[in-house]
């Protein structure tokens, strides 16, 4: 305890208004509750494996396209096909370049993905499906190199991808992403009151029936379209 | 034991009788002997004579056996398998604004992680003063809040971009739910770690085998995001992220990371798979929008709808539906019964909360003629729900995500309802 009781009292008076305002709020304002403990470097390293487009987070390591082919054939081809073309409805990994404006675009690593970092990161964190986190860092470099090869982004099967040359690879579709600009679309920009009476001439006419397609689970036949969500 | 059997079997008979009576009433023959009165009234029913289950029979109660059809449903052809897949909330069977926990749609990328809460940890790392680890017990010592929000999958209605495809609002609009979350403001957790000035982005990561990750701008994280451990008053369901999930009000469901285990602070977005390959919106010119986070103003008529036809014939009827917006509260819903030629203001009933479902009703006399039902929501930022034609004219048909176009149901003279597109 302080040997100067009047100082303690003064300090109490100084903090009193702050306490009162805190009590008046639903929850305390910015501040520390002293809850939780420091994470150890080993713990952070075990969970923080994400990789950014600028290469931040890449581990040491390397692997060639040829090495990647062996790993791919054993671990990946049963779903993604021998050449990344996919089996059944599993995701296509290669091909489709130049199809993005088509009626049915094919979105793959080579045709659509903007960053190679995403390939490395995603394969390392979530693939193979059903046995995630089973590949070594070198395995993932080799697989990533092979996926570049399958997409004709590198043409030498001896091409070696490593932490050192990783960010020198640019994917073909890198520059085709734009920020969300939905608010500028005409139907959103126009905030005048919408029409309420006699808004369209003529009676409504059906242009498309869901029942004709007949793909709803209750009565679907085998003509169901290809997937769209994965 | 014999006595017990006796008590049980009559109620089984009661179930069958009740089912037949219901079918008969629907077919319009139930009143054949109306002068003598309905048997369900004139004869003593089993449930009126025999006692039912005692209080120990149902420690965790389930819906009535007569509601067994009110369940989530899957559309198998949508995905390669059921582990990374989606199912649908039965919107046509629900009312009000709160979704029952057991009916909230599911979307997993590597199935349901079953995590013992004592083994769950939440880590905060990156550009912070102190990298921290929290246990579940730690998280429950922070100040709590209760908030009601909708969670809508970015792909909700995505199968309908090219036109009418699935016949029922469960399938066209059921990747959505709305529950009351209890949890901790994300802001408090981040402040506990101390976000450095350069920390402009947050990476949230799940503990499941997909290790789902999304980048979230720090302004949103500090504004209204929560780490929730309860929904509708009880612990999260395993399929909804037990023991904790991220709540990102008004934003696409993909960002609401389930089984949340890690939050990393950084100075740039990570551009992970779920914000590059997926959850980017391809436009007709080959460009794609990224970071399309907000779920725009939207509505759907849930009754009548293809799974909920009109069975009562002409006369007074209740049209019911849901409206919502990631931009705020719904200020108005208009309903048309003639395919958008004329509109009528619907009645919003119940709480009107920002970024939550709103329930609307429109009561009218049906004269038995063909109807083209539509609803059009307007939010409190003045955004008006567009038609599908308006959306497609700007975006083309390949955006997959963010289809909030006006839905049309065609009702024929028999009351049968179909998903259609109209002129």
């Amino acid at each position: 305890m302080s040997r100067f009781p009047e100082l303690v009292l003064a300090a109490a008076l100084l903090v009193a208004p702050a306490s009162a305002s805190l009590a008046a709020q639903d929850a305390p304002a910015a501040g520390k509750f002293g809850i939780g403990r420091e994470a150890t470097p080993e713990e952070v390293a075990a969970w923080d494996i994400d990789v950014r487009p600028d290469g931040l987070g890449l581990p040491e390591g390397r692997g060639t396209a040829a090495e990647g082919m062996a790993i791919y054939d054993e671990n990946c081809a049963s779903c993604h096909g021998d050449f990344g073309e996919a089996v059944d409805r599993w995701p296509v990994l290669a091909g489709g370049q130049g199809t993005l404006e088509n009626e049915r675009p094919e979105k793959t690593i080579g045709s659509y993905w903007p960053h190679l970092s995403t390939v490395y990161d995603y394969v390392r964190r979530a693939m193979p499906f059903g046995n995630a986190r089973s590949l070594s860092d070198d395995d993932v470099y080799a697989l990533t190199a092979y996926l570049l090869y399958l997409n004709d982004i590198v043409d030498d099967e001896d091409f070696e991808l490593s932490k050192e040359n990783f960010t020198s690879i640019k994917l073909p579709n890198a520059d085709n992403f734009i920020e969300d600009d939905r608010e500028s679309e005409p139907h959103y920009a126009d905030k005048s009151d919408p029409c309420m009476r006699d808004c369209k001439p003529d009676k409504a006419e059906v242009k498309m029936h869901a029942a004709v397609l007949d793909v709803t689970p209750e009565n679907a036949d085998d003509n169901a379209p290809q997937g769209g969500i994965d | 034991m014999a006595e017990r059997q006796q008590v049980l079997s009559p109620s089984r008979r009661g179930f069958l009788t009740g089912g037949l009576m219901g079918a008969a009433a629907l077919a319009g023959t139930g009143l054949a002997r109306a002068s003598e009165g309905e048997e369900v009234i004139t004869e003593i029913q089993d449930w009126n004579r025999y006692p039912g289950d005692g209080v120990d029979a149902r420690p965790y109660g389930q819906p009535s056996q007569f509601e067994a059809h009110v369940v989530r449903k899957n559309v198998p052809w949508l995905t390669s398998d059921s582990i990374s897949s989606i199912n649908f909330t039965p919107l046509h069977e629900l009312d009000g604004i709160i979704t029952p926990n057991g009916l909230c749609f599911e979307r997993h990328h590597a199935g349901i992680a079953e995590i013992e809460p004592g083994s769950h940890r939440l880590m905060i790392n990156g550009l912070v003063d102190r990298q921290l680890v929290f246990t579940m017990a730690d998280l429950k010592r922070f100040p709590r809040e209760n908030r009601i929000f909708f969670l809508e999958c970015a792909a909700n209605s995505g199968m309908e971009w090219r036109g009418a495809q699935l016949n029922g609002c469960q399938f066209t609009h059921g990747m959505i739910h709305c529950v009351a979350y209890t949890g901790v403001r994300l802001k408090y957790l981040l402040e506990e770690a101390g976000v450095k000035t350069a920390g402009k982005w947050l990476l949230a990561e799940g503990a499941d085998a997909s290790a789902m990750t999304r980048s979230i701008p720090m302004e949103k994280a500090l504004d209204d995001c929560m780490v929730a451990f309860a929904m509708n008053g009880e612990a999260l369901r395993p399929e909804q992220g037990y023991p904790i999930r991220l709540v990102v009000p008004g934003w696409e469901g993909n960002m609401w990371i389930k089984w949340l285990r890690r939050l990393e602070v950084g100075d740039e977005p990570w551009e992970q798979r779920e914000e590059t390959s997926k959850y980017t919106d391809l436009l007709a010119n080959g460009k794609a929008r990224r970071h399309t986070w907000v779920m725009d103003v939207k509505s759907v008529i849930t009754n009548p709808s293809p799974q909920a036809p009109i069975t009562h014939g002409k006369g007074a009827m209740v049209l019911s539906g849901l409206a919502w917006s990631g931009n705020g509260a719904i200020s108005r819903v208009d309903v048309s019964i003639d395919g958008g030629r004329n509109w009528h203001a619907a009645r919003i009933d119940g709480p009107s909360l920002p970024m939550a479902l709103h329930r609307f009703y429109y009561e009218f006399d049906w004269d038995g003629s063909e109807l083209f039902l539509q609803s059009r929501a307007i939010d409190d930022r003045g955004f008006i729900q567009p038609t599908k034609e308006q959306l497609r004219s700007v975006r083309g048909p390949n955006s997959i995500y963010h289809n909030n176009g006006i839905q049309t149901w065609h009702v024929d003279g028999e009351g049968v309802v179909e998903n259609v597109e109209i002129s």
Side-chain angles (χ1 to χ4, degrees), chain B residues 292-348:
Chain B
T292 46
W293 299 310
V294 174
M295 299 309 293
D296 284 322
V297 61
K298 189 168 176 179
S299 67
V300 65
I301 294 167
T302 55
N303 304 79
S305 63
Q307 297 155 288
I310 305 173
T311 54
H312 55 56
K314 297 177 188 178
M317 66 169 287
V318 173
L319 180 154
S320 174
L322 291 167
W324 62 96
S325 173
N327 291 304
I330 294 296
S331 53
R332 190 173 117 197
V333 180
D334 299 328
V335 167
S336 173
I337 63 172
D338 60 5
R341 275 63 187 165
N342 296 282
W343 295 88
H344 316 272
R347 184 168 61 83
I348 293 175

Coordinates of all heavy atoms in Angstrom, one line a residue, chain B residues 292-348:
Chain B
T292 N -15.6 -9.9 -54.2 CA -17.0 -9.6 -54.2 C -17.6 -10.2 -52.9 O -18.2 -11.3 -52.9 CB -17.7 -10.2 -55.4 OG1 -17.3 -11.6 -55.6 CG2 -17.4 -9.4 -56.7
W293 N -17.5 -9.4 -51.9 CA -17.8 -9.9 -50.5 C -19.3 -9.8 -50.1 O -19.8 -10.8 -49.6 CB -16.9 -9.2 -49.5 CG -15.5 -9.3 -49.7 CD1 -14.8 -10.5 -49.8 CD2 -14.5 -8.3 -49.7 NE1 -13.4 -10.2 -50.0 CE2 -13.2 -8.9 -49.9 CE3 -14.6 -6.9 -49.5 CZ2 -12.0 -8.2 -49.9 CZ3 -13.4 -6.2 -49.6 CH2 -12.1 -6.8 -49.8
V294 N -19.9 -8.7 -50.4 CA -21.2 -8.4 -49.9 C -22.2 -9.2 -50.7 O -22.1 -9.4 -51.9 CB -21.6 -6.9 -50.1 CG1 -23.0 -6.6 -49.7 CG2 -20.7 -6.1 -49.2
M295 N -23.3 -9.8 -50.0 CA -24.4 -10.4 -50.6 C -25.5 -9.3 -50.8 O -26.0 -8.8 -49.8 CB -24.9 -11.6 -49.7 CG -23.9 -12.7 -49.5 SD -23.1 -13.3 -51.0 CE -24.5 -14.1 -51.8
D296 N -25.8 -9.1 -52.1 CA -26.7 -8.0 -52.4 C -28.2 -8.3 -52.0 O -28.5 -9.4 -51.7 CB -26.6 -7.7 -53.9 CG -25.3 -7.0 -54.3 OD1 -24.9 -6.1 -53.5 OD2 -24.8 -7.3 -55.3
V297 N -29.0 -7.2 -52.2 CA -30.4 -7.3 -51.8 C -31.1 -8.4 -52.6 O -30.9 -8.5 -53.8 CB -31.0 -5.9 -52.0 CG1 -30.9 -5.4 -53.5 CG2 -32.4 -5.8 -51.5
K298 N -31.9 -9.1 -51.9 CA -32.5 -10.3 -52.6 C -33.8 -10.7 -51.8 O -34.0 -10.4 -50.7 CB -31.5 -11.5 -52.5 CG -31.8 -12.7 -53.3 CD -30.6 -13.6 -53.4 CE -30.9 -14.9 -54.1 NZ -29.7 -15.8 -54.2
S299 N -34.7 -11.5 -52.5 CA -35.9 -12.0 -51.9 C -36.3 -13.2 -52.7 O -35.9 -13.4 -53.8 CB -37.0 -10.9 -51.9 OG -37.4 -10.6 -53.2
V300 N -37.2 -14.0 -52.1 CA -37.9 -15.1 -52.8 C -39.2 -15.3 -52.1 O -39.3 -15.2 -50.8 CB -37.0 -16.3 -52.8 CG1 -36.8 -16.9 -51.4 CG2 -37.6 -17.4 -53.7
I301 N -40.2 -15.7 -52.9 CA -41.5 -16.1 -52.3 C -41.4 -17.6 -52.0 O -41.0 -18.4 -52.9 CB -42.6 -15.9 -53.3 CG1 -42.8 -14.4 -53.6 CG2 -43.9 -16.6 -52.9 CD1 -43.7 -14.0 -54.8
T302 N -41.6 -17.9 -50.7 CA -41.4 -19.3 -50.3 C -42.7 -20.1 -50.3 O -42.7 -21.3 -50.4 CB -40.8 -19.4 -48.8 OG1 -41.7 -18.6 -48.0 CG2 -39.4 -18.8 -48.8
N303 N -43.8 -19.4 -50.2 CA -45.1 -20.0 -50.4 C -46.1 -19.1 -51.1 O -46.2 -18.0 -50.6 CB -45.7 -20.4 -49.0 CG -44.8 -21.2 -48.2 OD1 -43.9 -20.7 -47.6 ND2 -45.1 -22.5 -48.1
P304 N -46.8 -19.5 -52.1 CA -46.6 -20.8 -52.8 C -45.3 -20.8 -53.5 O -44.7 -19.8 -53.9 CB -47.8 -20.9 -53.7 CG -48.3 -19.5 -53.9 CD -47.8 -18.7 -52.7
S305 N -44.8 -22.1 -53.8 CA -43.6 -22.3 -54.6 C -43.7 -23.7 -55.0 O -44.6 -24.5 -54.6 CB -42.4 -22.1 -53.7 OG -42.3 -23.0 -52.6
P306 N -42.8 -24.2 -55.9 CA -43.0 -25.5 -56.5 C -43.2 -26.6 -55.6 O -43.9 -27.6 -55.8 CB -41.7 -25.7 -57.4 CG -41.4 -24.3 -57.8 CD -41.7 -23.4 -56.6
Q307 N -42.5 -26.6 -54.4 CA -42.7 -27.6 -53.4 C -43.9 -27.4 -52.5 O -44.2 -28.2 -51.6 CB -41.4 -27.8 -52.5 CG -40.2 -28.2 -53.3 CD -38.9 -27.7 -52.6 OE1 -38.6 -26.5 -52.6 NE2 -38.2 -28.6 -52.0
A308 N -44.5 -26.2 -52.6 CA -45.6 -25.8 -51.8 C -46.7 -25.3 -52.6 O -46.9 -24.1 -52.6 CB -45.1 -24.8 -50.7
P309 N -47.4 -26.1 -53.4 CA -48.5 -25.7 -54.3 C -49.7 -25.2 -53.5 O -49.8 -25.4 -52.3 CB -48.8 -26.9 -55.1 CG -48.4 -28.1 -54.2 CD -47.2 -27.6 -53.4
I310 N -50.6 -24.5 -54.2 CA -51.8 -24.1 -53.5 C -52.8 -25.3 -53.6 O -53.1 -25.8 -54.6 CB -52.5 -22.9 -54.3 CG1 -51.5 -21.7 -54.4 CG2 -53.7 -22.4 -53.6 CD1 -52.0 -20.6 -55.3
T311 N -53.2 -25.7 -52.4 CA -54.1 -26.9 -52.3 C -55.5 -26.5 -51.8 O -56.3 -27.4 -51.7 CB -53.5 -28.0 -51.4 OG1 -53.2 -27.3 -50.1 CG2 -52.2 -28.5 -51.9
H312 N -55.7 -25.3 -51.5 CA -57.0 -24.9 -50.8 C -58.0 -24.3 -51.8 O -59.1 -23.9 -51.4 CB -56.7 -24.0 -49.7 CG -56.0 -22.7 -50.0 ND1 -56.4 -21.9 -51.0 CD2 -54.8 -22.2 -49.5 CE1 -55.5 -20.8 -51.1 NE2 -54.6 -21.0 -50.2
G313 N -57.7 -24.3 -53.1 CA -58.6 -23.7 -54.0 C -58.7 -22.2 -54.0 O -57.8 -21.5 -53.4
K314 N -59.7 -21.7 -54.6 CA -59.8 -20.2 -54.7 C -60.1 -19.6 -53.4 O -60.5 -20.2 -52.4 CB -61.0 -19.9 -55.7 CG -60.9 -20.4 -57.1 CD -62.1 -20.0 -57.9 CE -62.1 -20.7 -59.3 NZ -63.3 -20.4 -60.0
G315 N -59.9 -18.2 -53.4 CA -60.3 -17.5 -52.2 C -59.1 -16.9 -51.4 O -58.0 -16.8 -52.0
A316 N -59.3 -16.6 -50.1 CA -58.3 -16.0 -49.4 C -57.0 -16.8 -49.3 O -57.1 -18.0 -49.1 CB -58.8 -15.7 -47.9
M317 N -55.9 -16.2 -49.5 CA -54.6 -16.9 -49.4 C -53.5 -16.0 -48.9 O -53.6 -14.8 -49.0 CB -54.2 -17.6 -50.7 CG -53.9 -16.6 -51.8 SD -53.2 -17.5 -53.2 CE -51.5 -17.9 -52.5
V318 N -52.5 -16.7 -48.3 CA -51.4 -16.0 -47.8 C -50.2 -16.3 -48.7 O -49.8 -17.5 -48.9 CB -51.1 -16.4 -46.3 CG1 -49.7 -15.8 -45.9 CG2 -52.2 -16.0 -45.4
L319 N -49.6 -15.3 -49.2 CA -48.3 -15.4 -49.9 C -47.2 -15.0 -48.9 O -47.4 -14.0 -48.2 CB -48.3 -14.5 -51.1 CG -47.1 -14.4 -52.0 CD1 -47.5 -14.0 -53.4 CD2 -46.0 -13.5 -51.5
S320 N -46.2 -15.8 -48.8 CA -45.1 -15.5 -47.8 C -43.7 -15.6 -48.4 O -43.5 -16.4 -49.4 CB -45.3 -16.6 -46.7 OG -44.2 -16.4 -45.8
G321 N -42.8 -14.9 -47.9 CA -41.5 -15.0 -48.4 C -40.4 -14.4 -47.5 O -40.7 -13.9 -46.4
L322 N -39.2 -14.4 -48.0 CA -38.0 -13.9 -47.3 C -37.3 -12.9 -48.1 O -37.2 -13.0 -49.4 CB -37.1 -15.1 -47.0 CG -37.5 -16.1 -46.0 CD1 -36.6 -17.3 -46.1 CD2 -37.5 -15.6 -44.6
A323 N -36.8 -11.8 -47.4 CA -36.0 -10.8 -48.1 C -34.8 -10.5 -47.2 O -34.9 -10.7 -46.0 CB -36.8 -9.5 -48.3
W324 N -33.7 -10.2 -47.8 CA -32.5 -9.9 -47.1 C -31.5 -9.1 -47.9 O -31.6 -9.0 -49.1 CB -31.8 -11.2 -46.6 CG -31.3 -12.1 -47.7 CD1 -30.1 -12.2 -48.3 CD2 -32.1 -13.1 -48.5 NE1 -30.0 -13.1 -49.3 CE2 -31.3 -13.7 -49.4 CE3 -33.5 -13.5 -48.4 CZ2 -31.7 -14.7 -50.3 CZ3 -33.9 -14.5 -49.3 CH2 -33.0 -15.1 -50.2
S325 N -30.6 -8.4 -47.2 CA -29.5 -7.7 -47.9 C -28.3 -7.6 -47.0 O -28.3 -7.3 -45.8 CB -30.0 -6.2 -48.2 OG -28.9 -5.5 -48.7
G326 N -27.1 -7.8 -47.6 CA -25.9 -7.7 -46.9 C -25.5 -6.2 -46.7 O -24.5 -5.9 -46.0
N327 N -26.2 -5.3 -47.3 CA -26.0 -3.9 -47.2 C -26.7 -3.3 -46.0 O -26.4 -2.1 -45.6 CB -26.4 -3.1 -48.4 CG -25.6 -3.5 -49.6 OD1 -24.4 -3.3 -49.6 ND2 -26.2 -3.9 -50.7
G328 N -27.6 -4.0 -45.4 CA -28.3 -3.5 -44.2 C -29.7 -4.1 -44.0 O -29.8 -5.3 -44.3
A329 N -30.7 -3.3 -43.6 CA -32.0 -3.8 -43.4 C -32.8 -3.7 -44.7 O -32.4 -3.0 -45.6 CB -32.7 -3.1 -42.2
I330 N -33.9 -4.5 -44.7 CA -34.8 -4.4 -45.9 C -35.8 -3.3 -45.5 O -36.4 -3.3 -44.5 CB -35.5 -5.7 -46.1 CG1 -34.5 -6.8 -46.6 CG2 -36.7 -5.6 -47.1 CD1 -33.9 -6.5 -47.9
S331 N -36.0 -2.3 -46.4 CA -36.9 -1.3 -46.2 C -38.3 -1.5 -46.8 O -39.3 -1.0 -46.4 CB -36.4 0.1 -46.6 OG -36.0 0.0 -48.0
R332 N -38.3 -2.4 -47.8 CA -39.6 -2.6 -48.5 C -39.5 -3.8 -49.4 O -38.4 -4.2 -49.9 CB -39.8 -1.4 -49.5 CG -41.2 -1.3 -50.1 CD -41.3 0.0 -50.8 NE -41.5 -0.2 -52.2 CZ -41.3 0.7 -53.2 NH1 -40.9 1.9 -52.8 NH2 -41.6 0.4 -54.4
V333 N -40.6 -4.6 -49.5 CA -40.7 -5.7 -50.4 C -42.0 -5.5 -51.2 O -43.0 -5.2 -50.7 CB -40.8 -7.0 -49.7 CG1 -40.9 -8.2 -50.8 CG2 -39.5 -7.2 -48.8
D334 N -41.9 -5.5 -52.6 CA -43.0 -5.5 -53.4 C -43.3 -6.8 -54.0 O -42.4 -7.6 -54.2 CB -42.8 -4.5 -54.6 CG -42.5 -3.1 -54.2 OD1 -43.1 -2.7 -53.1 OD2 -41.7 -2.4 -54.9
V335 N -44.6 -7.1 -54.2 CA -45.0 -8.4 -54.7 C -45.8 -8.2 -56.0 O -46.6 -7.3 -56.0 CB -45.8 -9.2 -53.7 CG1 -46.5 -10.4 -54.4 CG2 -44.9 -9.7 -52.6
S336 N -45.5 -9.0 -57.0 CA -46.4 -9.0 -58.2 C -47.0 -10.3 -58.4 O -46.3 -11.3 -58.2 CB -45.5 -8.6 -59.4 OG -46.3 -8.7 -60.6
I337 N -48.2 -10.3 -58.9 CA -48.9 -11.6 -59.2 C -49.1 -11.8 -60.7 O -49.6 -12.8 -61.2 CB -50.2 -11.8 -58.5 CG1 -51.3 -10.8 -58.9 CG2 -50.0 -11.8 -57.0 CD1 -52.7 -11.1 -58.3
D338 N -48.6 -10.7 -61.5 CA -48.8 -10.8 -62.9 C -47.4 -10.6 -63.7 O -47.4 -10.1 -64.7 CB -49.8 -9.7 -63.4 CG -49.4 -8.3 -63.0 OD1 -48.2 -8.1 -62.5 OD2 -50.2 -7.4 -63.3
G339 N -46.4 -11.2 -63.1 CA -45.1 -11.2 -63.7 C -44.5 -9.8 -63.9 O -43.8 -9.5 -64.9
G340 N -44.6 -8.9 -62.9 CA -44.0 -7.6 -62.9 C -44.7 -6.5 -63.6 O -44.1 -5.5 -63.8
R341 N -45.9 -6.8 -64.1 CA -46.7 -5.7 -64.7 C -47.2 -4.7 -63.7 O -47.1 -3.5 -63.9 CB -47.9 -6.3 -65.5 CG -47.6 -6.8 -66.9 CD -46.6 -7.9 -66.9 NE -46.2 -8.3 -68.3 CZ -45.1 -9.0 -68.6 NH1 -44.4 -9.5 -67.6 NH2 -44.8 -9.3 -69.8
N342 N -47.6 -5.3 -62.5 CA -48.1 -4.4 -61.4 C -47.6 -4.9 -60.1 O -47.4 -6.2 -60.0 CB -49.6 -4.4 -61.4 CG -50.2 -3.8 -62.6 OD1 -50.3 -2.6 -62.8 ND2 -50.7 -4.6 -63.6
W343 N -47.3 -4.0 -59.2 CA -46.6 -4.4 -57.9 C -47.5 -3.9 -56.8 O -48.1 -2.9 -56.8 CB -45.2 -3.8 -57.9 CG -44.3 -4.4 -58.9 CD1 -44.1 -3.9 -60.1 CD2 -43.4 -5.5 -58.7 NE1 -43.2 -4.7 -60.8 CE2 -42.8 -5.7 -60.0 CE3 -43.2 -6.4 -57.7 CZ2 -41.8 -6.7 -60.2 CZ3 -42.2 -7.4 -57.9 CH2 -41.6 -7.6 -59.1
H344 N -47.4 -4.7 -55.7 CA -48.1 -4.3 -54.4 C -47.1 -4.4 -53.3 O -46.3 -5.3 -53.2 CB -49.3 -5.3 -54.2 CG -50.1 -5.6 -55.4 ND1 -51.1 -4.9 -55.8 CD2 -49.9 -6.6 -56.4 CE1 -51.6 -5.4 -56.9 NE2 -50.9 -6.4 -57.3
A345 N -47.2 -3.4 -52.4 CA -46.4 -3.4 -51.2 C -46.7 -4.6 -50.3 O -47.9 -4.8 -49.9 CB -46.5 -2.1 -50.4
A346 N -45.7 -5.4 -50.0 CA -46.0 -6.5 -49.0 C -45.8 -6.0 -47.6 O -45.4 -4.9 -47.4 CB -45.0 -7.7 -49.3
R347 N -46.2 -6.9 -46.7 CA -46.2 -6.5 -45.3 C -45.0 -7.2 -44.6 O -45.0 -8.5 -44.6 CB -47.5 -7.0 -44.6 CG -47.7 -6.6 -43.2 CD -49.2 -6.9 -42.9 NE -49.6 -8.3 -43.1 CZ -49.4 -9.2 -42.2 NH1 -48.8 -9.0 -41.0 NH2 -49.7 -10.5 -42.4
I348 N -44.0 -6.5 -44.1 CA -42.9 -7.1 -43.4 C -43.3 -7.3 -41.9 O -43.8 -6.4 -41.3 CB -41.6 -6.2 -43.5 CG1 -41.1 -6.2 -44.9 CG2 -40.5 -6.8 -42.5 CD1 -39.9 -5.3 -45.1

